[in-house]
Amino acid sequence: MTAQPQPGVSRHFVLAAGGTGGHLIPAFALATELHARGHHVALITDARGAKIPGKPDFLTAHVLPAGRLGKNPVALLKGLRAIWQGRSMALRLFESFQPACVIGFGGYPALPALLAARAARIPTVIHEQNAVLGRVNRYLAKSVDAIATAYHEVDRLDPRFAGKVHLVGNPVRPEVLALRGQPFPEFSDDSLFRVLVTGGSQGASILASVVPDGLAMLPPALRHRLQVTQQCRPEDLEAVRARYAAHEIPAELGTYFEDMASRLAGAHLFVGRAGASTIAELTAVGRPAILVPLPIATDDHQAANTREMVKAGGARAIRQTGFTPTELAKQIQAMAMNPAGLGHAAHAGWNCGLPRAVEDLADLVEGFGGAPLMDVIRVDAATAAPATAGAEALALENEA
């Protein structure tokens, strides 16, 4: 079915991603890079994903049915029906679009497209943003042609697939990547201490209840120099504002900040969740962090995401059960009481960054349907984490 273009000739690529920012931000970045190289790109997602901000104007989004596979028999049957319907629709799209490769970014909306590509014998690549291979990507790992990862260690990645694993990193927004060459903001005993607090796209109430009181417990030498920017849930906004006012700490609060890149550029310390895009941006720019992994994240993947940055000395991780004002103040003091400490942590985090992620991922997928597969940075088989979910992946395969 698929055309076989020659190297240097414009090709068609289909990106398939779940309907969250974590899946779609790297997909948008890859689409932009492939478009800049002269290729045609289409997106497959669900209704929620089609509304995510940041989609490039040139990128056409195709909304396909995508059911979830749960244990409830009725829900399972409904999910399988939606997946099969989405697979059929994807096959019809491929007949007209003729993709050289289909790239999946995880999430159930990506599953029908990848199943259709497998049926049509179109080359496939999956990209895993987290340090734990997601459920859909675990199911697809055996059949795809390449697995692109964002971390050196990825849990639940079967060692048998190490030969097709490529460490590329997690693509970030161009405006964030542009900050990589800028120095860490000056921080001394007399300078402002700018703290950026976010809890992901939806905010986090735990940050609203802990961070203001934790910052108030800092020694006067730090507390009197604070300048805080904090993203809050709408329902938490006024309570957080009152807390900061009571502590006499200047704080700019909002439910969403469009200029997040510039705020990250000026920050001396980040406090927040450990989603894949957050870690990628922190390491791209080089910003010290105190990370509070989301406890209900699937397979505890946010905790796994913190490992490399914490081990390098660029961040500290606090489990939500132990995230108290006292513990937060203690960790901030350990990082910031010595003016050089934050600078060292920033450099350590910066060293964890993979700034060529989008270029390396584009090189990888360009290798299909044209020149031989480019061997990007291949992960040594010895670094692949043991497969702890073989039975779970097998169960998903049986369900689908």
Side-chain angles (χ1 to χ4, degrees):
M1 172 185 288
T2 307
Q4 297 297 318
Q6 298 301 312
V9 175
S10 176
R11 278 166 267 168
H12 292 184
F13 295 92
V14 171
L15 313 185
T20 67
H23 296 304
L24 284 165
I25 288 174
F28 292 162
L30 178 61
T32 301
E33 178 67 19
L34 291 173
H35 180 75
R37 297 185 183 194
H39 302 300
H40 301 282
V41 190
L43 172 70
I44 288 177
T45 186
D46 60 6
R48 182 176 56 158
K51 299 176 182 177
I52 293 288
K55 184 178 74 66
D57 293 337
F58 65 82
L59 184 62
T60 301
H62 300 268
V63 176
L64 268 61
R68 297 183 64 86
L69 300 179
K71 294 181 179 180
N72 181 287
V74 176
L76 174 61
L77 183 60
K78 183 178 179 181
L80 289 172
R81 187 182 296 116
I83 290 170
W84 189 259
Q85 183 182 0
R87 175 184 178 275
S88 299
M89 293 173 66
L91 281 170
R92 291 195 292 273
L93 172 64
F94 297 163
E95 287 176 359
S96 60
F97 196 69
Q98 294 283 298
C101 181
V102 177
I103 304 96
F105 289 84
Y108 277 101
L111 184 55
L114 273 293
L115 292 176
R118 184 168 67 181
R121 298 186 179 181
I122 298 169
T124 52
V125 175
I126 54 175
H127 179 269
E128 179 55 61
Q129 300 89 51
N130 293 297
V132 180
L133 201 64
R135 193 178 185 199
V136 168
N137 280 348
R138 287 202 299 273
Y139 168 61
L140 295 166
K142 181 178 180 180
S143 61
V144 297
D145 296 281
I147 302 168
T149 64
Y151 294 89
H152 293 81
E153 293 183 47
V154 179
D155 296 344
R156 300 202 172 192
L157 175 56
D158 195 316
R160 292 176 298 171
F161 308 143
K164 55 183 176 182
V165 172
H166 303 260
L167 175 65
V168 300
N170 196 12
V172 300
R173 296 170 292 172
E175 61 268 28
V176 173
L177 191 59
L179 303 174
R180 185 167 175 83
Q182 297 185 13
F184 183 66
E186 181 182 352
F187 184 69
S188 66
D189 290 330
D190 301 320
S191 67
L192 289 173
F193 180 26
R194 291 187 290 271
V195 178
L196 175 63
V197 186
T198 75
S201 59
Q202 301 301 316
S205 290
I206 187 69
L207 300 176
S209 62
V210 170
V211 174
D213 294 344
L215 294 177
M217 296 175 68
L218 292 174
L222 283 177
R223 181 164 51 86
H224 293 160
R225 297 187 282 126
L226 279 168
Q227 189 176 75
V228 180
T229 299
Q230 183 162 347
Q231 175 211 19
C232 305
R233 293 182 182 226
E235 61 269 27
D236 296 330
L237 194 61
E238 291 310 314
V240 175
R241 195 184 311 279
R243 270 197 169 105
Y244 278 119
H247 296 314
E248 299 183 337
I249 295 174
E252 181 183 1
L253 309 179
T255 58
Y256 178 75
F257 295 111
E258 291 187 0
D259 58 341
M260 189 59 77
S262 63
R263 295 173 187 277
L264 188 60
H268 295 109
L269 179 68
F270 171 88
V271 180
R273 294 300 194 193
S277 294
T278 296
I279 299 294
E281 293 191 351
L282 290 171
T283 56
V285 178
R287 289 297 178 270
I290 293 177
L291 302 169
V292 187
L294 178 67
I296 61 171
T298 306
D299 298 319
D300 202 20
H301 67 255
Q302 286 205 4
N305 290 349
T306 69
R307 286 187 308 223
E308 288 187 17
M309 198 174 176
V310 169
K311 184 178 179 179
R316 293 173 180 242
I318 306 174
R319 286 286 190 173
Q320 184 161 308
T321 52
F323 185 58
T324 63
T326 300
E327 183 62 22
L328 176 62
K330 174 184 172 182
Q331 296 299 336
I332 292 178
Q333 287 182 65
M335 297 182 76
M337 284 302 287
N338 174 5
L342 283 179
H344 292 320
H347 185 67
W350 189 91
N351 282 336
C352 293
L354 295 170
R356 281 192 48 85
V358 70
E359 291 94 337
D360 286 345
L361 183 56
D363 289 345
L364 177 64
V365 304
E366 267 192 328
F368 293 97
L373 177 65
M374 175 179 178
D375 189 5
V376 187
I377 308 171
R378 190 175 289 277
V379 177
D380 187 90
T383 67
T388 60
E392 187 174 333
L394 180 60
L396 178 57
E397 183 169 4
N398 290 336
E399 289 172 358

